[in-house]
Amino acid sequence: MSKVRKLEDAVAAIPDGAVLMIGGFMGVGTPPRLIDELIRQNKRGLTVIANDTARPTVGIGKLVAGRHVARVIASHIGTNPETQRQMIAGETEVELVPQGTLAERVRAGGFGLGGILTPTGVGTVVADGKRTVELDGRTFLLETPLKADFALILAKRADYYGNLEYALTARNFNPLMAMAAETVIVEAEDIVPVGMIPPDHVVTPNVLVDVLVAKEARHG
Amino acid sequence: MSKVRKLEDAVAAIPDGAVLMIGGFMGVGTPPRLIDELIRQNKRGLTVIANDTARPTVGIGKLVAGRHVARVIASHIGTNPETQRQMIAGETEVELVPQGTLAERVRAGGFGLGGILTPTGVGTVVADGKRTVELDGRTFLLETPLKADFALILAKRADYYGNLEYALTARNFNPLMAMAAETVIVEAEDIVPVGMIPPDHVVTPNVLVDVLVAKEARHG
Amino acid sequence: MDEKTLIAKRVALELRDARLVNLGIGLPTLVARHLPAGTNVFFQSENGIIGMEPVPEEGLENADLSDAGGSPIGAVPGAASFDSAVSFGLIRGGHLDVTVLGGLQVDEEGRLANWMVPGRMVPGMGGAMDLVSGAKRVIVAMQHSAKGESKIVKRCTLPLTSVRRVDLVVTDLAVLEPTDAGLVLKETAPGVSVAQVLAATGCELIVPATVPAMPIDA
Amino acid sequence: MDEKTLIAKRVALELRDARLVNLGIGLPTLVARHLPAGTNVFFQSENGIIGMEPVPEEGLENADLSDAGGSPIGAVPGAASFDSAVSFGLIRGGHLDVTVLGGLQVDEEGRLANWMVPGRMVPGMGGAMDLVSGAKRVIVAMQHSAKGESKIVKRCTLPLTSVRRVDLVVTDLAVLEPTDAGLVLKETAPGVSVAQVLAATGCELIVPATVPAMPIDA
């Protein structure tokens, strides 16, 4: 019944070419062991949906630098020259999405919406090829849901059932992505007995979580 | 600087005919003192956006029974025969909205979305007069945002700045409505010093809250 | 065993592999009392909690903990509470394995009407439209007939809850499965004949060569 | 005082009545150091917190507490953290009183380009498009010119961040207010003449009869 798996087994279930949502914002809130294990198992051709690609030596940046990624959907790649280089060279496909729109598209995928209407991006290059909708004299872009095969999530605490708590700005996209993927793999700093996280403090309910991996004790 | 006001003054700011969002689900999570004070000050012609109208002697049901309400937007009036009677008699206008759609419409109002697409209600009477959008061979209803002049919110704890925590199923629509109204009036069971609610436990951030009213000690 | 208990027991067998289940007010609520041993589901209440259970004893009611009808409930260890958007995100986003709902009519195409009788009963749809449109599996639990009229009809005369075809209909007489070809008679209630089911049904049924009885001990 | 400090001090005066403010990475971040006495704002970091402040002293960095650039921050008592959808709900839903952003170009119509130089710099828009589209008040804080070319132009040649007109532009030479009629010269920097501003500007400015100097002590 336990959802706790060995790191190796949890990541082995992810095939080459899989679509991954990965939590984090400039590496903060990105599950480090899961990233390192994707690299160790040398996954190829991944699609990564994430806020950014951090730096070449940090978080998702390592996946890009190691050429594990074929496609990125993100709001920002400015801190990772390697992502920019691969994009300009045509080696990696990059779709840039405004951050708030990215959050809503991931949420729409998890919440069963067919899409959302937003003023963000109207009249800019972001609108290219997208449908617009006029409502009460205003123009909105129709933005469509994003879903993934796997979500890789970093939690501060998990209980054995998989109820999750996050810490401060390491929360960011994690709870949204935990709703929007077929299989949800969580790396948790602490795994505690059921009942230790009060219902009101649970941010991601256990039924969404498929696999728990413990984060090793941190050095220092 | 404090947002704490006397009950009477907090409610006096609400004019006849105002559009109110009121938290709660069958009365649980509805601010009791604010409701009673609306009645005492005999507000008239209110529009109420809420999940339901509870029972004639409970929560929002009291507003309906006392003829303070001209219009209701809700998902359910089945437990309040007086709302049904007023609706059938044409005395009160009632718009029935599927519960999940109601939650998303309130959220869209607070989150600046122009609308959302949902399969809920397609091919039913809920679709009458609404725009539909075809995407990838599926049909969705375009549902539009809801906003209000005032939100009446019940919180379990507030700090002096107005950071809010909710309790169990009394949370329901409250945090969504706190985003979607011009003025947010909160009735809190406990009002505590700043710093007593940790950032990760704040559900409604203080900048959304305009007025705090203390809930009196409960009998028993 | 009364008819409602029979229906509840039969529906309970469908929850064996479910993780998250929502039970409608009324008859569906009975299902929780009849789960087979080893079933390990969480019950959602759409007002905002996963892990609801009955109040364990009188006096333990809590004013902040209720079901979708406003009645006091308890919560299992490991429960989680959340706002209405998340609650319906779970339902609409395909995270709910099974919803069990009452019905007024189900038609030949497997479409449900359960929220309104024009001019007579206007309760509002509550969460029913979201549940039927969004749950992975929709089970209707209802009496086969009401006031001498079959609730299984050729075409719903009452307003639909959703155009989505439900997955299973469990009544006091039979288990019916809607398919592209029509309603298939999967099981009969203990002691009820196929002929009795057909006589009590307002539309054609597809009757396989053998129709087993519900696997319920009477 | 250097040019960046001047700009930051002038922008800070605009925050007197604000409750929630978002400062972009780079020059705008400086604004927080120059708030006038009595200003009582909360700073949002769009990665998910209201109430950010600088790390109070070295050694107090926390791995779970960072700004939108990934650098460590502190948090004031009464801070609140939340997910990215809520963070941008605050921005897009009109709850953010002021956003201060850097700029590459602002044109005569008050439209901002600040996220991309095609073929050369492709950082992505991050939160900039949401901030400009959603904040109640948008202030651009930037140098008036770069590499000898004015950043105030007749029409943006770089991709727009939003078609929404910004509310105020503060540079090292001037304060400009976009209006229906065009850019109005509201103030000049201390020691800078109107003629100097006009000469350094790539489009027409509307010049009122009197143009005060920025109310900043040099």
Side-chain angles (χ1 to χ4, degrees):
Chain A
M1 268 301 297
S2 164
K3 292 174 178 173
V4 180
R5 297 281 175 278
K6 275 194 225 166
L7 174 65
E8 189 180 332
D9 298 340
V11 172
I14 301 172
D16 286 350
V19 177
L20 311 184
M21 287 183 180
I22 307 181
F25 205 113
M26 288 298 296
V28 177
T30 302
R33 291 185 77 204
L34 293 176
I35 296 287
D36 289 346
E37 185 65 13
L38 282 170
I39 294 168
R40 199 190 66 79
Q41 294 188 16
N42 198 23
K43 307 291 181 187
R44 293 276 147 184
L46 301 172
T47 290
V48 172
I49 301 170
N51 180 66
D52 56 66
T53 56
R55 302 181 200 283
T57 58
V58 172
I60 296 163
K62 294 200 248 182
L63 291 178
V64 174
R67 318 301 295 266
H68 303 279
V69 178
R71 187 162 170 246
V72 172
I73 301 175
S75 80
H76 202 274
I77 59 170
T79 51
N80 192 327
E82 177 59 17
T83 315
Q84 296 188 51
R85 192 198 63 70
Q86 290 180 19
M87 174 183 180
I88 290 166
E91 297 165 13
T92 299
E93 195 184 330
V94 177
E95 180 185 348
L96 291 170
V97 181
Q99 221 161 86
T101 297
L102 184 64
E104 288 294 328
R105 290 181 66 192
V106 171
R107 182 185 180 275
F111 280 60
L113 302 180
I116 57 109
L117 304 182
T118 176
T120 297
V122 169
T124 75
V125 298
V126 165
D128 292 352
K130 286 185 186 146
R131 276 163 80 168
T132 57
V133 173
E134 309 283 326
L135 262 178
D136 298 330
R138 293 184 67 197
T139 304
F140 298 98
L141 290 190
L142 196 172
E143 295 279 6
T144 52
L146 290 170
K147 301 201 71 164
D149 302 320
F150 296 85
L152 308 188
I153 300 299
L154 181 68
K156 192 71 177 177
R157 289 215 298 176
D159 69 21
Y160 301 160
Y161 285 166
N163 288 304
L164 306 184
E165 281 186 310
Y166 304 93
L168 299 167
T169 60
R171 185 185 304 206
N172 56 68
F173 280 82
N174 281 300
L176 304 171
M177 290 174 168
M179 292 276 289
E182 205 55 50
T183 301
V184 175
I185 304 176
V186 175
E187 178 174 336
E189 206 162 309
D190 247 339
I191 302 182
V192 300
V194 169
M196 288 185 68
I197 306 179
D200 285 336
H201 294 174
V202 172
V203 176
T204 296
N206 65 73
V207 295
L208 296 168
V209 172
D210 298 289
V211 175
L212 284 174
V213 171
K215 193 175 163 191
E216 284 170 330
R218 285 192 293 175
H219 50 77
Chain B
M1 268 301 296
S2 165
K3 293 173 177 173
V4 180
R5 298 280 174 277
K6 275 194 225 162
L7 174 65
E8 188 180 332
D9 299 341
V11 172
I14 301 172
D16 285 352
V19 177
L20 310 184
M21 287 182 179
I22 307 181
F25 205 111
M26 288 299 295
V28 177
T30 301
R33 291 185 77 205
L34 293 175
I35 296 287
D36 288 347
E37 184 65 14
L38 283 170
I39 294 168
R40 199 191 65 80
Q41 293 188 16
N42 198 24
K43 306 290 179 187
R44 294 275 148 186
L46 301 172
T47 290
V48 171
I49 302 170
N51 180 65
D52 56 65
T53 56
R55 301 180 201 283
T57 58
V58 173
I60 297 162
K62 293 200 248 182
L63 290 178
V64 174
R67 317 302 294 267
H68 303 279
V69 179
R71 186 163 170 245
V72 172
I73 301 175
S75 80
H76 202 274
I77 59 170
T79 51
N80 191 327
E82 178 58 17
T83 314
Q84 296 188 50
R85 192 198 61 69
Q86 290 180 19
M87 174 184 179
I88 290 165
E91 297 165 12
T92 299
E93 195 185 331
V94 177
E95 180 186 347
L96 291 170
V97 181
Q99 223 161 86
T101 296
L102 184 64
E104 288 294 328
R105 289 181 67 190
V106 171
R107 181 184 180 276
F111 280 60
L113 301 180
I116 57 111
L117 304 182
T118 177
T120 297
V122 169
T124 74
V125 296
V126 165
D128 292 352
K130 285 188 187 146
R131 277 163 78 168
T132 57
V133 173
E134 309 283 326
L135 262 179
D136 299 330
R138 293 183 66 197
T139 303
F140 298 98
L141 291 190
L142 197 171
E143 295 279 6
T144 53
L146 290 170
K147 300 200 72 164
D149 302 320
F150 296 86
L152 307 188
I153 300 300
L154 180 68
K156 192 71 177 178
R157 289 215 299 175
D159 69 20
Y160 302 160
Y161 286 166
N163 288 305
L164 305 184
E165 282 186 307
Y166 304 93
L168 298 167
T169 59
R171 184 184 305 206
N172 55 68
F173 280 82
N174 282 300
L176 305 171
M177 290 174 168
M179 292 277 288
E182 204 57 47
T183 300
V184 174
I185 304 176
V186 175
E187 178 174 338
E189 206 161 309
D190 247 339
I191 302 182
V192 299
V194 169
M196 289 185 68
I197 306 179
D200 285 335
H201 294 174
V202 172
V203 176
T204 296
N206 64 74
V207 295
L208 297 167
V209 172
D210 298 290
V211 175
L212 285 173
V213 171
K215 194 175 162 191
E216 284 170 329
R218 286 192 292 176
H219 51 78
Chain C
M1 166 165 38
D2 68 16
E3 293 165 350
K4 288 184 178 178
T5 305
L6 175 77
I7 295 170
K9 281 194 170 185
R10 180 60 191 85
V11 171
L13 297 179
E14 298 292 316
L15 306 187
R16 257 184 293 229
D17 299 320
R19 193 148 67 157
L20 185 61
V21 172
N22 186 298
L23 301 177
I25 299 289
L27 199 163
T29 306
L30 292 181
V31 173
R33 296 194 205 155
H34 299 287
L35 293 181
T39 309
N40 209 332
V41 306
F42 285 93
F43 290 104
Q44 180 201 30
S45 188
E46 64 265 34
N47 51 325
I49 196 162
I50 286 176
M52 70 179 286
E53 63 171 7
V55 177
E57 56 183 276
E58 222 184 291
L60 295 186
E61 297 81 3
N62 180 293
D64 295 323
L65 186 52
S66 57
D67 66 17
S71 301
I73 56 172
V76 303
S81 48
F82 32 74
D83 69 38
S84 298
V86 171
S87 196
F88 280 88
L90 290 166
I91 292 166
R92 294 154 60 121
H95 308 285
L96 184 68
D97 295 310
V98 180
T99 183
V100 183
L101 290 153
L104 296 170
Q105 292 180 328
V106 174
D107 70 18
E108 214 166 35
E109 292 178 54
R111 301 196 298 190
L112 170 69
N114 78 340
W115 70 280
M116 188 188 184
V117 181
R120 200 158 61 78
M121 182 185 89
V122 198
M125 67 294 287
M129 288 189 173
D130 300 296
L131 286 160
V132 177
S133 302
K136 281 191 207 153
R137 197 164 154 74
V138 178
I139 300 176
V140 177
M142 66 178 193
Q143 303 277 345
H144 208 93
S145 305
K147 297 177 188 162
E149 290 204 23
S150 183
K151 295 167 77 172
I152 312 290
V153 297
K154 186 149 183 64
R155 202 177 164 80
C156 288
T157 53
L158 298 173
L160 291 178
T161 304
S162 173
V163 292
R164 180 245 176 102
R165 179 198 288 166
V166 305
D167 297 282
L168 205 68
V169 182
V170 178
T171 76
D172 51 318
L173 298 185
V175 176
L176 305 174
E177 182 179 37
T179 68
D180 280 344
L183 296 174
V184 176
L185 178 58
K186 301 292 284 186
E187 298 171 13
T188 52
V192 173
S193 70
V194 169
Q196 281 173 301
V197 175
L198 293 177
T201 300
C203 66
E204 304 270 307
L205 293 183
I206 297 164
V207 182
T210 57
V211 180
M214 293 181 191
I216 305 279
D217 297 329
Chain D
M1 166 167 36
D2 69 16
E3 293 165 350
K4 289 184 177 175
T5 305
L6 175 76
I7 295 170
K9 281 193 170 185
R10 180 61 191 84
V11 170
L13 297 179
E14 298 292 316
L15 307 186
R16 257 183 293 228
D17 300 320
R19 193 148 67 156
L20 185 62
V21 172
N22 186 299
L23 302 177
I25 299 291
L27 200 164
T29 307
L30 293 181
V31 173
R33 296 194 204 154
H34 299 286
L35 293 180
T39 309
N40 210 332
V41 306
F42 285 94
F43 290 104
Q44 179 201 31
S45 188
E46 65 264 34
N47 52 325
I49 195 162
I50 287 176
M52 70 179 285
E53 63 171 5
V55 177
E57 56 182 276
E58 222 185 289
L60 294 186
E61 296 82 3
N62 181 294
D64 295 322
L65 186 52
S66 58
D67 66 17
S71 302
I73 56 171
V76 303
S81 49
F82 31 74
D83 69 38
S84 298
V86 171
S87 195
F88 280 88
L90 290 165
I91 291 167
R92 295 154 59 120
H95 308 284
L96 183 68
D97 294 310
V98 180
T99 182
V100 183
L101 289 153
L104 296 170
Q105 293 180 327
V106 174
D107 71 18
E108 214 166 34
E109 292 179 54
R111 300 196 297 191
L112 171 68
N114 79 340
W115 70 280
M116 189 187 183
V117 181
R120 201 158 62 77
M121 184 185 87
V122 197
M125 67 295 285
M129 287 190 173
D130 301 296
L131 285 161
V132 177
S133 302
K136 281 191 206 152
R137 196 164 155 74
V138 179
I139 299 176
V140 178
M142 66 178 192
Q143 303 277 345
H144 207 92
S145 305
K147 299 176 187 162
E149 290 203 22
S150 184
K151 295 167 77 173
I152 311 292
V153 297
K154 187 152 182 58
R155 202 177 163 80
C156 288
T157 52
L158 298 174
L160 291 178
T161 304
S162 174
V163 293
R164 180 243 176 103
R165 179 198 289 167
V166 305
D167 298 281
L168 205 68
V169 182
V170 178
T171 77
D172 51 320
L173 299 185
V175 176
L176 305 173
E177 184 179 35
T179 68
D180 280 345
L183 296 174
V184 176
L185 178 59
K186 300 292 284 186
E187 297 170 14
T188 52
V192 173
S193 70
V194 169
Q196 282 173 300
V197 175
L198 293 176
T201 300
C203 66
E204 306 269 308
L205 294 184
I206 297 164
V207 183
T210 56
V211 180
M214 292 181 191
I216 306 278
D217 297 329

